[in-house]
Amino acid sequence: MGEESLKKRKGEHKGREDRQSIQSHEPQTMNLQKQVGLVSGICMIVGTIIGSGIFVSPKSVLANVEAVGPCLTIWAACGVLATLVVITIVNSLSVKLGSYLQNFLTAAKMIIVTIIIVSGIVLLAKGKTENFKDSFKDSKISVSSISLAFYNGLWAYDGWNQLNYITEELKNPYRNLPLSIIIGIPLVTVCYVLINISYFTVMTSTELLQSQAVAVTFGDRVLYPASWIVPLFVVFSTLGSANGTCFTAGRLVYVAGREGHMLKVLSYISVKHLTPAPAIIFYGAIAIIYIIPGDIDTLINYFSFAVWIFYGLTVLGLIVMRFTKKELRRPIRIPIIIPVIVTLVSILLVLAPIISAPELAYLYCILFILSGLIVYVLFVHFKFNWPQKISKPITMHLQMLLEVVPEEEVTP
């Protein structure tokens, strides 16, 4: 958490009602499922790249999975596990260490993005534009197909909401939070559009869809013999995403424990490191469980479907509160038309895959989400006594093992 943020925390409980006007009222137990799915998917990508990079040349990384067989699977699994463990340990030990690591990985990400964009601009200047002719030929234009295109494409842009989870640790959050979003989202959008234009200078749409790692394919065709840097920097990029998600979403678990939605011990602070170590460790453990099936496609589909349910509910809650909680002070206020549009888009993105390609996986996803609601109603809303009797000895032993105490005991 950082000593400075802990000192500030006492005075911030009074202002929690203000933050409720811009944050969701959804139970954190359900929102946690969404965040764990994101970091699990990212770490599976890292593990696959690490594992394949050991057994095959950079030119064919991720493209010859069947050729290396069980060895690749074993090393990929080890890479995934190692990634989750390292990120969990780093963020549990020090807030500064986690932020320094994030700064380094973000810089590495921007380096490879710049290299690919500049290479694409050079190729465009040389006349490599044939792949842009008849770009939408044979495309199926319909409401469902367009919705699915957005449904999958927006996966790449997810992460814009992560900063909201650490507003208590931001300096001047009511200024810096909107400012970072206003700067960050357009910057990321421009970079992503330019990098995809660069890909199309050397790949057709069919080749791009068939490629197991588009950036690696681009590096093989353009940067050879320096193409080895691409999978390396892709690992840095994905590690940065996983580390950032762990850093921010770990605070989600922390707040869930503080609000009584999860075990109280998850809201405790490390005495030595002043970090929410129990929350981060719990988050890492759940992420490891999520990757056991080893199917990245299923995990991404599950995440994408679930995340837009939560986005829609969150923004709908903002609309409702605009009329039912008019007396609340709103430091960050937006025109009502924006949340209305987001809610309608969320409904479309959730219903589109169900209507166009119904699968049982979507039903399982909904049931899994509802399981969090059941836990919330039984143990948070009704507040039965017997779960408290069971959790007290567990909390005591974990407190001694992890050397953690309630937040108020480490706050001066």
Side-chain angles (χ1 to χ4, degrees):
M1 308 293 288
E3 185 174 354
E4 183 178 346
S5 64
L6 285 171
K7 290 179 180 179
K8 187 174 66 174
R9 190 64 60 82
K10 271 189 174 180
E12 290 196 344
H13 289 291
K14 184 179 179 182
R16 192 173 300 162
E17 288 186 357
D18 296 336
R19 289 195 299 275
Q20 287 178 344
S21 63
I22 57 173
Q23 292 182 344
S24 168
H25 279 109
E26 61 181 306
Q28 284 94 338
T29 49
M30 294 196 297
N31 199 5
L32 172 63
Q33 297 170 356
K34 175 192 73 175
Q35 296 301 325
V36 173
L38 174 60
V39 76
S40 301
I42 293 169
C43 290
M44 288 175 70
I45 295 171
V46 176
T48 304
I49 295 174
I50 293 174
S52 57
I54 293 174
F55 287 99
V56 294
S57 66
K59 184 176 181 179
S60 57
V61 70
L62 282 180
N64 297 308
V65 175
E66 295 181 359
V68 294
C71 292
L72 171 61
T73 303
I74 294 173
W75 280 101
C78 292
V80 174
L81 183 60
T83 299
L84 284 169
V85 170
V86 169
I87 288 175
T88 301
I89 292 175
V90 166
N91 285 278
S92 298
L93 290 179
S94 171
V95 173
K96 287 186 176 180
L97 183 60
S99 62
Y100 289 155
L101 176 62
Q102 188 63 31
N103 291 339
F104 168 77
L105 295 173
T106 301
K109 180 186 300 186
M110 294 309 299
I111 289 173
I112 192 62
V113 166
T114 302
I115 291 174
I116 293 176
I117 290 175
V118 172
S119 301
I121 292 173
V122 172
L123 291 172
L124 284 174
K126 291 182 178 180
K128 292 284 187 178
T129 59
E130 58 270 14
N131 292 333
F132 295 96
K133 298 176 182 178
D134 298 324
S135 301
F136 295 97
K137 185 180 180 181
D138 300 327
S139 297
K140 296 180 180 179
I141 300 177
S142 64
V143 175
S144 60
S145 61
I146 293 175
S147 300
L148 287 173
F150 276 102
Y151 183 75
N152 291 281
L154 288 171
W155 155 263
Y157 291 90
D158 198 83
W160 53 268
N161 58 334
Q162 297 294 314
L163 198 60
N164 293 275
Y165 299 139
I166 56 171
T167 51
E168 292 181 344
E169 298 182 51
L170 288 177
K171 294 181 179 179
N172 194 4
Y174 298 137
R175 173 186 176 274
N176 293 331
L177 178 62
L179 188 62
S180 61
I181 293 175
I182 291 171
I183 295 174
I185 292 180
L187 178 62
V188 170
T189 302
V190 170
C191 289
Y192 278 14
V193 170
L194 291 178
I195 204 171
N196 278 282
I197 291 175
S198 299
Y199 291 152
F200 279 111
T201 58
V202 295
M203 283 179 278
T204 64
S205 58
T206 302
E207 290 173 331
L208 188 140
L209 291 172
Q210 292 178 347
S211 174
Q212 295 292 326
V214 180
V216 175
T217 302
F218 180 89
D220 292 339
R221 297 185 181 185
V222 178
L223 303 177
Y224 191 83
S227 59
W228 60 270
I229 68 172
V230 177
L232 175 64
F233 277 86
V234 167
V235 169
F236 286 156
S237 177
T238 48
L239 276 173
S241 298
N243 182 71
T245 302
C246 182
F247 180 87
T248 56
R251 273 62 181 171
L252 180 69
V253 181
Y254 164 80
V255 173
R258 188 177 69 186
E259 297 295 325
H261 294 180
M262 300 183 73
L263 288 174
K264 190 68 177 178
V265 71
L266 296 178
S267 67
Y268 286 7
I269 305 297
S270 171
V271 176
K272 292 182 178 179
H273 308 294
L274 298 180
T275 61
I280 295 174
I281 293 171
F282 175 81
Y283 185 82
I286 296 297
I288 291 175
I289 294 174
Y290 267 56
I291 64 175
I292 289 176
D295 187 353
I296 182 66
D297 293 328
T298 300
L299 188 58
I300 290 177
N301 290 336
Y302 159 80
F303 169 83
S304 299
F305 178 75
V307 75
W308 282 102
I309 294 176
F310 288 112
Y311 289 162
L313 292 174
T314 300
V315 179
L316 179 62
L318 186 148
I319 297 173
V320 172
M321 292 181 64
R322 183 68 63 89
F323 296 98
T324 59
K325 301 287 184 178
K326 295 181 179 180
E327 71 281 1
L328 291 179
R329 185 174 69 90
R330 291 173 167 81
I332 302 175
R333 189 181 181 94
I334 58 173
I336 192 68
I337 186 63
I338 295 178
V340 169
I341 293 174
V342 174
T343 303
L344 294 176
V345 170
S346 300
I347 293 173
L348 179 63
L349 292 174
V350 170
L351 295 179
I354 298 177
I355 295 173
S356 60
E359 296 181 9
L360 282 177
Y362 298 127
L363 176 60
Y364 298 150
C365 180
I366 293 174
L367 293 176
F368 191 55
I369 293 172
L370 291 178
S371 67
L373 182 61
I374 294 173
V375 172
Y376 175 80
V377 171
L378 292 178
F379 301 112
V380 178
H381 182 72
F382 291 111
K383 295 182 180 179
F384 293 131
N385 291 327
W386 62 268
Q388 301 297 329
K389 295 180 181 179
I390 296 176
S391 64
K392 279 185 178 179
I394 297 175
T395 299
M396 181 183 67
H397 287 90
L398 287 177
Q399 189 174 355
M400 292 187 294
L401 177 65
L402 300 176
E403 296 184 341
V404 293
V405 294
E407 174 191 325
E408 52 271 14
E409 294 187 20
V410 296
T411 304

Coordinates of all heavy atoms in Angstrom, one line a residue, residues 9 11 42 81 87 117 160 174 182 190 193 203 209 211 242 266 269 275 287 301 306 310 312 324 335 343 356 376:
R9 N -5.3 7.1 4.4 CA -6.5 6.2 4.4 C -7.5 6.6 5.4 O -8.7 6.4 5.2 CB -6.0 4.8 4.5 CG -7.1 3.8 4.2 CD -7.5 3.9 2.8 NE -6.5 3.6 1.9 CZ -6.0 2.4 1.5 NH1 -6.6 1.4 2.0 NH2 -5.0 2.3 0.7
G11 N -8.5 9.4 6.7 CA -9.4 10.5 6.3 C -10.2 10.2 5.1 O -11.0 11.0 4.8
I42 N -3.3 -13.8 -19.5 CA -2.0 -13.1 -19.9 C -0.9 -14.0 -19.5 O 0.1 -14.2 -20.3 CB -1.9 -11.8 -19.2 CG1 -3.0 -10.8 -19.7 CG2 -0.5 -11.2 -19.3 CD1 -3.1 -9.5 -18.9
L81 N 3.5 -20.9 -14.4 CA 3.5 -20.9 -13.0 C 4.6 -20.0 -12.4 O 4.3 -19.2 -11.5 CB 3.8 -22.4 -12.5 CG 3.8 -22.6 -11.0 CD1 2.5 -22.3 -10.4 CD2 4.2 -24.1 -10.7
I87 N 5.4 -12.6 -10.1 CA 4.6 -11.3 -10.0 C 3.9 -11.2 -8.7 O 3.9 -10.1 -8.1 CB 3.5 -11.3 -11.2 CG1 4.2 -11.1 -12.5 CG2 2.5 -10.3 -10.9 CD1 3.2 -11.3 -13.7
I117 N 6.1 -0.1 -35.6 CA 5.4 1.0 -36.3 C 6.3 1.7 -37.3 O 5.9 1.9 -38.5 CB 4.9 2.0 -35.3 CG1 3.7 1.4 -34.5 CG2 4.4 3.3 -36.0 CD1 3.2 2.3 -33.4
W160 N -8.2 -0.4 -19.4 CA -8.5 1.1 -19.2 C -9.1 1.4 -17.9 O -9.0 2.5 -17.4 CB -9.4 1.6 -20.3 CG -10.7 0.8 -20.5 CD1 -10.9 -0.3 -21.3 CD2 -11.9 1.0 -19.7 NE1 -12.2 -0.8 -21.2 CE2 -12.8 0.0 -20.2 CE3 -12.3 1.8 -18.8 CZ2 -14.1 -0.2 -19.7 CZ3 -13.6 1.7 -18.3 CH2 -14.5 0.7 -18.7
Y174 N -8.9 12.9 -8.2 CA -9.9 13.5 -9.0 C -9.4 14.3 -10.2 O -10.1 14.6 -11.1 CB -10.8 14.4 -8.1 CG -11.5 13.7 -7.0 CD1 -11.5 14.2 -5.7 CD2 -12.0 12.4 -7.2 CE1 -12.1 13.4 -4.7 CE2 -12.6 11.7 -6.2 CZ -12.7 12.2 -5.0 OH -13.3 11.5 -4.0
I182 N -7.7 10.1 -20.2 CA -7.8 11.0 -21.4 C -6.5 10.9 -22.2 O -6.6 10.8 -23.5 CB -8.1 12.4 -21.0 CG1 -9.5 12.6 -20.4 CG2 -7.9 13.4 -22.2 CD1 -9.8 13.9 -19.8
V190 N -4.0 4.9 -30.9 CA -3.2 5.2 -32.0 C -2.1 4.2 -32.2 O -1.8 3.8 -33.4 CB -2.6 6.6 -31.8 CG1 -1.5 6.9 -32.8 CG2 -3.6 7.7 -31.8
V193 N -3.7 0.9 -33.7 CA -4.1 1.1 -35.1 C -2.8 1.1 -36.0 O -2.8 0.4 -37.0 CB -4.9 2.4 -35.3 CG1 -5.1 2.7 -36.8 CG2 -6.2 2.3 -34.6
M203 N 1.6 -9.0 -44.3 CA 0.7 -10.2 -44.2 C -0.7 -9.9 -44.8 O -1.2 -8.7 -44.6 CB 0.5 -10.5 -42.7 CG 1.7 -11.3 -42.1 SD 1.4 -11.6 -40.3 CE 1.9 -10.1 -39.6
L209 N -4.7 -14.0 -39.6 CA -5.6 -14.8 -38.8 C -5.0 -16.2 -38.5 O -5.3 -16.8 -37.4 CB -7.0 -15.0 -39.5 CG -7.8 -13.8 -39.6 CD1 -9.0 -14.0 -40.5 CD2 -8.3 -13.3 -38.2
S211 N -1.8 -16.9 -38.2 CA -0.6 -16.8 -37.4 C -0.8 -17.0 -35.9 O -1.8 -16.4 -35.4 CB 0.1 -15.4 -37.6 OG 1.2 -15.2 -36.8
A242 N 0.2 -8.4 -17.0 CA -0.1 -9.3 -15.9 C 0.3 -8.6 -14.6 O -0.5 -8.6 -13.6 CB 0.6 -10.6 -16.0
L266 N -8.0 -10.9 4.4 CA -7.6 -10.4 3.1 C -7.5 -8.8 3.1 O -6.9 -8.3 2.1 CB -8.6 -10.8 2.0 CG -8.7 -12.3 1.8 CD1 -9.8 -12.6 0.7 CD2 -7.4 -12.9 1.3
I269 N -2.7 -5.9 6.4 CA -1.5 -5.3 5.8 C -0.2 -5.9 6.4 O -0.2 -6.2 7.6 CB -1.4 -3.7 6.1 CG1 -2.7 -3.1 5.6 CG2 -0.2 -3.1 5.4 CD1 -3.0 -3.2 4.1
T275 N 2.2 -3.7 2.5 CA 1.5 -4.1 1.3 C 0.3 -5.0 1.7 O 0.4 -5.7 2.7 CB 2.4 -4.8 0.3 OG1 2.9 -6.1 0.9 CG2 3.6 -4.0 -0.1
A287 N -5.6 -17.3 -9.6 CA -5.2 -17.2 -11.0 C -4.5 -18.6 -11.4 O -4.7 -19.0 -12.5 CB -4.2 -16.1 -11.2
N301 N -12.6 -16.2 -24.2 CA -14.0 -16.1 -24.5 C -14.8 -15.9 -23.2 O -15.8 -15.1 -23.1 CB -14.5 -17.3 -25.2 CG -13.9 -17.4 -26.6 OD1 -13.6 -16.4 -27.2 ND2 -13.9 -18.6 -27.2
A306 N -17.9 -12.3 -19.8 CA -18.2 -11.8 -18.4 C -17.9 -10.4 -18.2 O -18.7 -9.7 -17.5 CB -17.4 -12.7 -17.4
F310 N -20.3 -7.1 -16.6 CA -20.0 -6.3 -15.4 C -19.9 -4.8 -15.8 O -20.3 -3.9 -15.1 CB -18.7 -6.7 -14.8 CG -18.8 -8.0 -14.0 CD1 -18.2 -9.2 -14.5 CD2 -19.5 -8.1 -12.9 CE1 -18.3 -10.3 -13.8 CE2 -19.6 -9.2 -12.2 CZ -19.0 -10.4 -12.6
G312 N -21.6 -3.3 -18.2 CA -22.9 -2.9 -18.4 C -23.6 -2.6 -17.0 O -24.3 -1.6 -16.8
T324 N -31.3 8.5 -8.2 CA -31.7 8.1 -6.8 C -30.8 8.7 -5.8 O -31.2 8.7 -4.6 CB -31.7 6.6 -6.7 OG1 -30.4 6.1 -7.0 CG2 -32.7 6.0 -7.7
P335 N -21.5 13.7 -18.8 CA -22.8 13.8 -19.4 C -23.5 12.4 -19.4 O -22.9 11.4 -19.6 CB -22.6 14.3 -20.8 CG -21.2 14.9 -20.8 CD -20.4 14.2 -19.8
T343 N -24.0 1.5 -21.8 CA -25.0 0.4 -21.4 C -25.6 -0.3 -22.6 O -25.7 -1.5 -22.6 CB -26.1 1.0 -20.5 OG1 -25.5 1.7 -19.4 CG2 -27.0 0.0 -20.0
S356 N -25.8 -15.2 -32.1 CA -25.2 -15.7 -33.4 C -24.6 -17.1 -33.3 O -24.6 -17.8 -34.2 CB -24.1 -14.7 -33.8 OG -23.1 -14.5 -32.8
Y376 N -22.5 -14.0 -1.8 CA -22.8 -12.6 -1.3 C -24.0 -12.6 -0.5 O -24.1 -12.0 0.6 CB -22.8 -11.6 -2.5 CG -23.2 -10.2 -2.0 CD1 -22.2 -9.4 -1.5 CD2 -24.5 -9.8 -2.2 CE1 -22.5 -8.1 -1.1 CE2 -24.8 -8.5 -1.8 CZ -23.8 -7.6 -1.3 OH -24.2 -6.4 -0.9

